[in-house]
Structure formats: structure tokens, C-alpha cells
Amino acid sequence: MTSKRDYYEILGVAKSASADEIKKAYRKLALEFHPDRNKNKDAEARFKEISEAYAVLSDSEKRSAYDQYGHAGFDQRYSQEDIFRNANFEEFADVLRNFGFGGGFGRGGNDPFSSMFFDFGGQGRSRKRREVGENLQTEIQITLEEVAKGTTREIEVSHNNACDRCKGSRAEPGTNSTTCDKCKGSGMVYVNRRLGPMIVRSAAACNSCYGEGRSIKQFCSRCNGRGTIEKHEKLEVTIPAGVEDGMNLRVRGMGRYGKDGSGDLYVYINVKPHAQLKRDGEDVYFETKINFIDAILGTKIDVPTISGSGKAELKIPAGTQPETVFRMKGEGLPNIERGRNSERGDELVKINVVIPKNLSRKQRELLEEFKKEDGKLFGVF
Ligand SMILES: [Zn+2]
Ligand SMILES: [Zn+2]
């Protein structure tokens, strides 16, 4: 949030102040804090502050926007340049002339404020824009078995790298580059802009040398002065155990080249659905059927598993009820953050019991016999 002071407070006027009162207040403060007269080190900042306050409060449209939105909302709508646009400081030229500026506003080169330079923090950005290469994206498909163990994949990536002949400098090795005439090697040029009563200096990258500060006499013969070379590379990507479908693995520096660092390569993980097992986080689910005799008498069944030999024996105890879920401890997947040797999730096996629809004559007789034998149990139905 902005920590700017209230404009009315800066000028020391009431919210209801008339245009005339605002003008008087500004005149008085401008006399006091004009940097040519006031040598206190904060005078310049104060002068800027009161001038900005005046630029807003002397313009009825800006003033009402400020009253309505406050600093935060106002600053979203108006840039520093907007604030000073059309603001009239001309009538204070007389005051400033008293301090030896001479001349007046808008009279050719005889500018009363031309000796006032302000470096605006953040406004005219004085730092060069960082040039980081673009990120790249690729996709790979892996199986659930690979998720369990972790795996590696060789992938091919087309990107660019700094030219290995000129090391990205764009100049032919052995030739000298000269300091850029325009920016004298700083890579920056300064532009003066008027903001109300102030001349603001802001910096921009030199357009003659693209901010590099030097002129290249002879371009590199391999990259023709681009500084980069297209490259087709194979690289091995390690896919950690426990990775989830839809995750993006980042391979640092494998994106496109940039002077201030290459971008990254993102590897999108697509986990192929397993034919029999369903995944839920670290657990896997398996659903199977047994016949009702096995449910009554108990049995052993083979169930597919995600690791080991790919199957395991599960004991179904006598009297297993339909839709019972058995938990096979540790037969699930590792957690990606805890690593492949961490405690794994479980495999949950749901047992459905099949009731036959058609019986042979013999089977029917046997079941009738069974019913007589255990009349009490089945009698309740
Ligand atoms: Zn080169
Ligand atoms: Zn330059």
C-alpha cells in the first residue's frame, strides 16, 4: 500500500479549500522548499511532494477523483505523467524568477526550471530490463509401475544456447568492440521529461547498442551476430517415485537462452491409467469377484500389485461378507516428497460376491440339503 501523505495535508489546506486558497498555499510552500533556495537535503523531496499535491488539487477533475478514491485508487488511474499533464505552474514563474531562474514557461530554451533535475525512483526505470529466456514445455507418459519405482526418460529438446564461438557476445572472437558513442558504454541513455515545475531524468536502454554499451565491429561468423545457436539436445530426466498425473517437473536452464539466464524446461507428467488398479494419492484400489462358496468357505486369491512381482496372494477368510474391503499394507505408492524408500500407501481390495443365477439340478438339491442342515441361520430370511 502507498504510504503517501494526504495531498491536503501536504499543502496544509482544508478539504473544502477554494482554488485560491490552494494556489496561495502552494506559492508559499514553493518559496520555502524550492531546492535552489532551500539547501536542506529533504527540500527536493518536499518540493516534489507539494508540486504533485498542487498538480492534483488545482485540477477539478483530478481533485474529485482523489477525493473519491484516495491515494490508492487515484494512483491506479493516474501516472506521474498524467498528474502533471496540463497542470498550470506558469503563474508561479514570477516567484521562481526571484530566485534567479529568469525567463518563463514555454518560452523556448529559456526555461525557468531547466536546472532542476529529479531522479524519480521507480518512475523512469533506471535499471535495465532483465532478459531471461522463455520456458519450454514438453510432455511424457509413464506407467503406474514407473510411478512406484521412479524412472528416467531421455527426452529431446530444441532450444538455443549461447553461441559457443562468441560466447554470446555477438562479436567475432579476436576483433575489438568499441565503446558505444551514444551511451559512452553505460548502455543507458537519459531522457529528460517535464513534470510540472520539474525536469525528471529517466533512463532507458541505449537504442544504438541495445544496452550493451559497446559497438560491434565484426559480427561472429558462426551465429551472424545473434549470439545464440539453435540446439537439438537429448537429455535424461529423472522422474521421482510417487509423481502424480498432471505434475510439471522443472528442469532448470533447459529453456530458451537469455542474456540474464536461460528459461526452464517443464516436463508435464501424464500417468497412463492402469488396466486393473486405480490410484488415489498413495493408495491403490482393486476390485474383484469371488463366488459365494469361496466367500463362505474362505480361499486364497491372486491380486495384481504395483510393485514386486506384480501380484500377491490375498487370503479370503471363511465367512467374508459381500463388499468387504481388505487392506494390504504397504502395497501402494511412495510419497513424492518423502522419497521412494519412504513408507508406502496401501492397496485396498474390494471383494464382490457372485451369486449364481442358474443352478444345475444337482446343485439345487445340494443347497436344499444345506438349508435343512442349517435351518436356523437361513430361516431368518
Ligand atoms: Zn557467435
Ligand atoms: Zn549505447
Side-chain angles (χ1 to χ4, degrees):
M1 281 309 292
T2 176
S3 57
K4 275 180 162 179
R5 283 170 66 204
D6 178 70
Y7 288 144
Y8 292 99
E9 197 185 303
I10 290 166
L11 293 183
V13 296
K15 277 233 183 328
S16 57
S18 67
D20 211 45
E21 286 170 318
I22 288 168
K23 209 175 282 180
K24 279 196 183 117
Y26 176 69
R27 180 181 291 268
K28 185 168 163 285
L29 291 166
L31 280 166
E32 188 180 342
F33 290 104
H34 193 285
D36 255 33
R37 187 183 196 215
N38 189 325
K39 297 298 174 194
N40 287 335
K41 64 180 188 322
D42 64 343
E44 191 175 298
R46 287 295 304 277
F47 185 75
K48 180 191 164 290
E49 193 181 50
I50 57 171
S51 298
E52 181 181 322
Y54 179 73
V56 173
L57 300 185
S58 63
D59 179 307
S60 58
E61 194 185 315
K62 286 169 195 162
R63 183 178 176 179
S64 77
Y66 177 71
D67 289 344
Q68 192 178 343
Y69 306 117
H71 263 308
F74 184 81
D75 288 347
Q76 275 171 19
R77 290 168 175 80
Y78 292 89
S79 68
Q80 284 286 313
E81 233 126 29
D82 296 332
I83 285 174
F84 286 101
R85 187 170 299 130
N86 302 326
N88 182 8
F89 287 90
E90 210 164 317
E91 54 199 300
F92 304 106
D94 62 318
V95 176
L96 295 157
R97 195 182 288 129
N98 290 338
F99 302 131
F101 279 98
F105 267 91
R107 292 182 201 161
N110 203 6
D111 189 323
F113 302 109
S114 59
S115 63
M116 295 167 59
F117 287 94
F118 291 81
D119 278 323
F120 265 50
Q123 184 63 25
R125 295 192 69 81
S126 58
R127 276 191 332 137
K128 273 198 267 181
R129 204 165 59 84
R130 275 173 56 76
E131 279 179 47
V132 177
E134 274 171 67
N135 296 329
L136 292 174
Q137 175 90 57
T138 187
E139 178 174 346
I140 58 170
Q141 193 176 58
I142 60 171
T143 63
L144 205 54
E145 285 84 355
E146 287 175 311
V147 171
K149 291 195 296 277
T151 186
T152 59
R153 272 302 148 80
E154 188 174 79
I155 57 176
E156 294 190 5
V157 54
S158 280
H159 59 158
N160 56 0
N161 267 343
C163 168
D164 43 17
R165 184 171 176 83
C166 64
K167 312 280 182 251
S169 74
R170 311 195 294 124
E172 178 69 8
T175 64
N176 290 324
S177 299
T178 54
T179 302
C180 173
D181 285 338
K182 190 167 179 189
C183 64
K184 310 288 177 230
S186 69
M188 309 292 285
V189 287
Y190 292 91
V191 184
N192 294 333
R193 295 176 303 145
R194 165 177 292 289
L195 285 188
M198 296 166 287
I199 304 293
V200 173
R201 235 150 85 97
S202 63
C206 171
N207 59 8
S208 178
C209 63
Y210 303 103
E212 288 180 11
R214 56 203 181 89
S215 304
I216 291 167
K217 283 225 182 97
Q218 193 186 335
F219 287 117
C220 168
S221 58
R222 178 164 299 161
C223 65
N224 295 319
R226 281 194 312 274
T228 60
I229 290 281
E230 287 299 317
K231 244 187 168 174
H232 195 72
E233 277 188 280
K234 285 182 179 172
L235 56 120
E236 198 174 73
V237 178
T238 301
I239 297 148
V243 69
E244 282 179 46
D245 186 49
M247 276 183 171
N248 264 306
L249 302 179
R250 178 160 74 169
V251 187
R252 281 186 193 271
M254 277 300 171
R256 309 253 330 147
Y257 174 80
K259 262 197 305 195
D260 298 309
S262 293
D264 299 324
L265 171 68
Y266 284 89
V267 182
Y268 182 88
I269 303 294
N270 177 337
V271 180
K272 202 174 160 186
H274 190 278
Q276 295 165 292
L277 299 169
K278 279 201 180 64
R279 177 186 195 175
D280 180 15
E282 291 159 50
D283 293 335
V284 291
Y285 285 87
F286 176 63
E287 191 166 341
T288 191
K289 297 173 188 166
I290 59 171
N291 74 57
F292 78 109
I293 303 288
D294 286 337
I296 294 166
L297 301 177
T299 186
K300 283 173 181 166
I301 59 169
D302 277 343
V303 295
T305 58
I306 204 64
S307 48
S309 63
K311 62 177 185 177
E313 197 177 72
L314 177 66
K315 186 171 179 288
I316 306 292
T320 290
Q321 301 299 305
E323 304 194 347
T324 298
V325 175
F326 293 99
R327 183 178 288 269
M328 297 166 74
K329 281 296 251 182
E331 291 289 349
L333 297 164
N335 178 290
I336 187 166
E337 274 147 33
R338 294 197 300 268
R340 61 173 292 175
N341 296 320
S342 64
E343 194 184 334
R344 288 166 179 250
D346 303 327
E347 178 165 339
L348 301 164
V349 182
K350 182 175 174 183
I351 303 296
N352 293 310
V353 177
V354 179
I355 310 291
K357 284 185 176 155
N358 300 303
L359 295 174
S360 68
R361 191 191 174 93
K362 178 76 176 167
Q363 284 171 323
R364 192 171 183 87
E365 281 170 13
L366 288 168
L367 284 172
E368 293 288 356
E369 275 302 302
F370 176 82
K371 187 175 175 178
K372 276 181 213 157
E373 189 61 31
D374 196 357
K376 274 184 207 148
L377 178 62
F378 286 92
V380 300
F381 292 99

